Amino acid sequence: NAGAKLADAARNGEPGAMEALAIERENLLAIVERRAESRPADSVEALLCVEPLLAVRGPFDLWVGQATQAYSLSQSLSVSVRVRAARSLCDALVARGRPGDALDVANATLKLIAVDSRDDNSAPLRVCLANIHHALGDMNQANQHAMAALELAKDSPFAGWAQAALGRARFSMGDFSGARKHLDMAADRLTRPRGRALVLAQLGDVERAVGEVALAGQHYDAALKIFSSLEDLPGGATLLSKLGSLNLDLGRQKKALDFFERARRAFSKVGDRHQVAIC
């Protein structure tokens, strides 16, 4: 349908797609209001179509609310749809600073997949679990889920995301060479701009950790440019915060202050109070 095409175009960073999705949002929500009970599949699809917009513009509380509704409505539907709805809710909960709640949803869905035994649902959920455990600070679990995801994904579209999750976990475990290897491979595999920007940001973290400050700055600048072109507020805010921290390390307090203040304002717009506090 038109909503699904717009959502896909927005994820691909096509010019004007996000604005068109914003305009279409009310029509999509009207479908949910009219068909929630009679046609839950249509309602879940409509709610998931709005996700790309809320993920980059917020507010995150609204994203959590709509993802919760999609997850609830999906319980009578196929396993594939239930997994998609669960992943959306987990992503929203992590963004909102509630990884513990996300873990409950992901673990319940993992049990569902174990009964269904369909590997094509397992890889994306394992990536989701890796990101949740990373947010919780459990890097061993994040690493294990990322490795499992990579094995399951093989040459599927989720292989790049699995590689990125593994690189992120390895970085947090202090394995900088392993992190760089996996993130470089993720950058080659991920074609959607937001995914590539996230990987570039993580590569910047690796280069900064090994003292390659100039290269780290280049990666951060490239990622920020992509996020800005997508009008991705949380992504851009994260990069502004990283640039603030980098400039603070270099003794450039005035530039650091400017970056942190810009990041704080952007995080405030999407409702990420945790990152507002950090900034």
Side-chain angles (χ1 to χ4, degrees), residues 111-148:
K111 292 178 182 177
L112 175 69
I113 292 176
V115 173
D116 182 72
S117 69
R118 288 184 59 187
D119 287 344
D120 56 338
N121 288 316
S122 296
L125 188 63
R126 291 283 184 176
V127 171
C128 189
L129 277 160
N131 292 333
I132 292 169
H133 281 290
H134 194 280
L136 288 167
D138 189 343
M139 299 310 156
N140 286 327
Q141 283 292 315
N143 184 64
Q144 289 178 27
H145 282 295
M147 287 194 297

Side-chain angles (χ1 to χ4, degrees), residues 20 26 30 38 81 97 105 180 212 235 263:
E26 293 303 320
S38 62
V81 174
V105 173
R180 185 188 282 117
E212 295 289 345

